[in-house]
Amino acid sequence: MFNNGRLPILFTLIIILVLLLSACGGTVAAPANEPVAETESVQQQDAAVAEHTDDQDGEESHPPETEAEDEDEDRAAAESPITGLRTFVIVPEESQASYLVDEEFLENALSKLGIEAGQKDVVGTTPEVSGQLQLNLEDLSAVLGENEFAVDLSQLTSDQDRRDNWIRENGPTFDRFPMATFTATAVSGLPDNYDEGQEIQFQVSGDLTVHEVTLPVTFDVTATLQDDTLTGVLETRRLMSDFGIDPPAFAGTLTVADEFGIRVEFTAREQS
């Protein structure tokens, strides 16, 4: 069927073709498989990184339920009304604030001021007191709400007009710095229970501002609650120099002690 001369040539061509195909398949197949494996590995790594990132994002955007619950509880406590809280507003017509200081009049006091030499307790008073007190009769140990009062020092008067004018215009210059304020921050010494009409003694601590200087002070308090009226007295002692005020001193006439007393007598009625 075939020419004998052509048969060897045909076989030779077939063998050469097979060898070429084998060679091509060997050199091409191996490199073709390697990138596929590498691509699949990279894709798996990328997927793992993406999954880890999603988990972290989920943790940041979704805090544990316990923290969320704590925040809800704190918010509810802050918004809930305080039971038992009663507000008493100071009545200026029935209240007054005073300073108490020791003055020593010297030999020239009689001729200059008409005051004999010697020591004297001086009191200056003003009715210009305002503010409010808030009490929680269910928990007397805590200071709740707004407990503060203010005094107009420019209205202080004593038994000497000359002294009063000097305090307003010189020295403390209360015409320039008229307001003294006190804000309560803590209370101590209160009884566990209170019977209406009972006089009790305790301490109130807070921030006192005089002459634009704020210092911590503690007042000794005596107070009584009867029906809708709260009455009491607050007392403490400080140094004038603590508030940047130099104690007055006039050669041959008088000297004033650095320490002075503060006394606030108040009447406050419950606000309906």
Side-chain angles (χ1 to χ4, degrees), residues 74-88:
D74 293 342
R75 189 180 300 108
E79 295 176 354
S80 61
I82 302 173
T83 59
L85 194 65
R86 300 172 64 180
T87 300
F88 298 84

Side-chain angles (χ1 to χ4, degrees), residues 6-7 25 43 65 92 96 98 104 107 132 141 166 215 234 251:
R6 296 179 179 176
L7 184 59
Q43 291 175 346
E65 292 183 1
Q96 65 178 22
S98 306
E104 183 176 0
E107 64 273 11
Q132 70 174 24
S141 64
W166 187 89
L215 296 174
L234 298 90

Side-chain angles (χ1 to χ4, degrees), residues 35-138:
V36 171
E38 183 179 356
T39 302
E40 291 178 353
S41 176
V42 172
Q43 291 175 346
Q44 291 175 354
Q45 293 177 1
D46 291 344
V49 171
E51 182 178 355
H52 180 67
T53 303
D54 291 341
D55 291 342
Q56 289 183 336
D57 293 341
E59 291 177 359
E60 294 177 356
S61 60
H62 300 287
E65 292 183 1
T66 54
E67 294 182 5
E69 291 174 356
D70 291 341
E71 292 178 359
D72 292 340
E73 291 177 358
D74 293 342
R75 189 180 300 108
E79 295 176 354
S80 61
I82 302 173
T83 59
L85 194 65
R86 300 172 64 180
T87 300
F88 298 84
V89 178
I90 291 177
V91 182
E93 296 80 9
E94 301 178 37
S95 305
Q96 65 178 22
S98 306
Y99 71 83
L100 302 90
V101 68
D102 295 330
E103 290 184 348
E104 183 176 0
F105 293 91
L106 307 177
E107 64 273 11
N108 293 333
L110 184 59
S111 59
K112 291 184 177 181
L113 304 177
I115 301 174
E116 294 185 358
Q119 292 186 341
K120 183 177 182 180
D121 295 330
V122 176
V123 178
T125 303
T126 174
E128 298 297 325
V129 182
S130 60
Q132 70 174 24
L133 304 169
Q134 291 189 312
L135 303 177
N136 182 8
L137 298 182
E138 296 180 4

